[in-house]
Amino acid sequence: STARQVLEAIVRDGEVVRGWIGVEPQDLNAELAEGFGLKPQPGVIITGVLQNSPAANAGLRPGDVVTAVGAQPVLKVSDLLSAVAALPPGQASTLSVIRKEGRLTLNVVPGQRQIERNNRPR
């Protein structure tokens, strides 16, 4: 499905535009959950948030567990990366998050993922 999306974007726009929010995610396992004082649960834990990134502006914090992007469930890092990459830059979406205090929904406006000259993402 990713290859199809890339091909359609190239045909339609002449380039591939991917959403970006500026986080360092990890699959949530029992050890990480314990370290952050959380119960093990499905989702992806955010271990880092880049300053002034869309995630930081939305209020996402290290230790937050992302369980969905919009209506798309997030069970592992690849789910989060695919869902975020599919978001149109500049168009608001929601992140379903579990924080120590409980569940919350954050509004995030993704930026555009930049590609370096050698075609590797930054």
Side-chain angles (χ1 to χ4, degrees):
S1 69
T2 301
R4 182 180 311 211
Q5 290 173 347
V6 168
L7 178 61
E8 289 172 356
I10 291 171
V11 170
R12 182 184 60 245
D13 305 322
E15 65 180 346
V16 178
V17 178
R18 301 177 69 82
W20 171 82
I21 61 172
V23 295
E24 296 174 20
Q26 287 192 359
D27 290 327
L28 184 60
N29 59 35
E31 185 178 330
L32 276 174
E34 183 180 330
F36 280 94
L38 300 166
K39 294 178 184 176
Q41 55 204 313
V44 171
I45 192 159
I46 302 303
T47 57
V49 178
L50 297 175
Q51 284 186 319
N52 301 316
S53 67
N57 294 338
L60 199 63
R61 303 178 192 164
D64 286 347
V65 176
V66 178
T67 59
V69 175
Q72 183 78 17
V74 171
L75 302 176
K76 56 189 180 213
V77 170
S78 61
D79 296 339
L80 176 66
L81 297 178
S82 294
V84 168
L87 295 174
Q91 185 175 326
S93 186
T94 58
L95 299 175
S96 298
V97 173
I98 298 172
R99 193 174 277 169
K100 285 184 185 179
E101 300 83 31
R103 295 182 180 273
L104 60 144
T105 301
L106 300 176
N107 293 313
V108 63
V109 178
Q112 182 173 341
R113 187 170 189 171
Q114 300 297 313
I115 304 293
E116 293 181 9
R117 285 187 169 193
N118 60 5
N119 293 330
R120 283 187 286 165
R122 310 187 222 177

